[in-house]
Amino acid sequence: DGGITQSPKYLFRKEGQNVTLSCEQNLNHDAMYWYRQDPGQGLRLIYYSQIVNDFQKGDIAEGYSVSREKKESFPLTVTSAQKNPTAFYLCASSILRRGANDEQFFGPGTRLTVL
Amino acid sequence: QQPVQSPQAVILREGEDAVINCSSSKALYSVHWYRQKHGEAPVFLMILLKGGEQKGHEKISASFNEKKQQSSLYLTASQLSYSGTYFCGTEAAGRRALTFGSGTRLQVQP
């Protein structure tokens, strides 16, 4: 089955540690996205990538880093510079061509708690 | 700047109708609508493209007024399964990514 996987589902880290969240898709999508969601809030864009080895900052990129070495993978690193990293992190992917099929498919999310 | 959604929350009885609005200050290429159940990933409902179209999906439909940069989601004869938080995501010219509103929490009661 095609889809997006994120691992782990729950992640606990100590303050000051970097942590990497995994996102893999087998939908052959060119575009991939990372969002952060806080309780009762909407989705805020962290980074997005339209092609391998290229990515753009979203609205809240500070304290985060990404890489896109393979089309199917877009890992997110939450660094110690992120002041309030506890949140629900969602990865998504889509085709790059604009049009009626340009929906974003979301992974199940990773809930990160920094102690 | 994120789009503004209204209302923030609404409670319905089964069978009642609801309208959720999404308004942007930017010129939009498209508007996406998603529904999210608690603790789960958002699920795609529909896309509306520039051109002022209206679309429908069973008893859920939406419209996009390109001149006003506004979209509305219409839920008719609501069912218990419609409960959740509804988000609009807007794509503006110049950025190939969505900006999401803060959501509308919909609760359908028996």
Side-chain angles (χ1 to χ4, degrees), chain A residues 6-7 10 12-13 15 19 22 37 39 51 61 66 74 79 82 84 87-88 92 108 110-112 115:
Chain A
Q6 290 185 245
S7 60
Y10 298 95
F12 297 88
R13 279 294 181 268
E15 194 172 343
V19 60
S22 166
Q37 187 174 34
I51 195 169
V66 293
F74 192 40
T79 74
Q82 169 50 232
N84 187 17
F88 187 45
T110 292
R111 196 167 297 276
L112 173 64
L115 306 171

Side-chain angles (χ1 to χ4, degrees), chain A residues 45-89:
Chain A
L45 182 66
I46 305 173
Y47 270 98
Y48 63 105
S49 169
Q50 298 177 348
I51 195 169
V52 173
N53 293 323
D54 189 42
F55 45 83
Q56 288 78 40
K57 291 182 179 180
D59 300 314
I60 56 164
E62 186 175 350
Y64 300 97
S65 65
V66 293
S67 63
R68 186 88 186 275
E69 296 177 1
K70 298 185 297 181
K71 185 176 182 178
E72 46 287 0
S73 179
F74 192 40
L76 173 75
T77 297
V78 184
T79 74
S80 56
Q82 169 50 232
K83 293 182 176 155
N84 187 17
T86 294
F88 187 45
Y89 290 87

Side-chain angles (χ1 to χ4, degrees), chain B residues 26-72:
Chain B
K26 297 186 175 183
L28 300 177
Y29 176 80
S30 66
V31 179
H32 299 217
W33 285 96
Y34 292 80
R35 177 172 61 211
Q36 184 180 31
K37 303 275 186 178
H38 184 68
E40 299 179 3
V43 173
F44 173 76
L45 295 175
M46 64 189 74
I47 283 179
L48 297 110
L49 304 175
K50 190 169 74 169
E53 64 173 342
Q54 183 158 353
K55 297 186 76 171
H57 175 69
E58 296 181 343
K59 295 178 181 176
I60 300 175
S61 62
S63 63
F64 177 26
N65 186 321
E66 181 187 346
K67 291 181 181 178
K68 294 185 177 180
Q69 309 306 328
Q70 293 175 347
S71 178
S72 294

Side-chain angles (χ1 to χ4, degrees), chain B residues 5-27:
Chain B
Q5 284 187 238
S6 63
Q8 289 185 326
V10 59
I11 300 175
L12 300 174
R13 295 286 183 191
E14 266 188 297
E16 292 182 337
D17 302 340
V19 180
I20 300 172
N21 300 302
C22 175
S23 178
S24 175
S25 59
K26 297 186 175 183

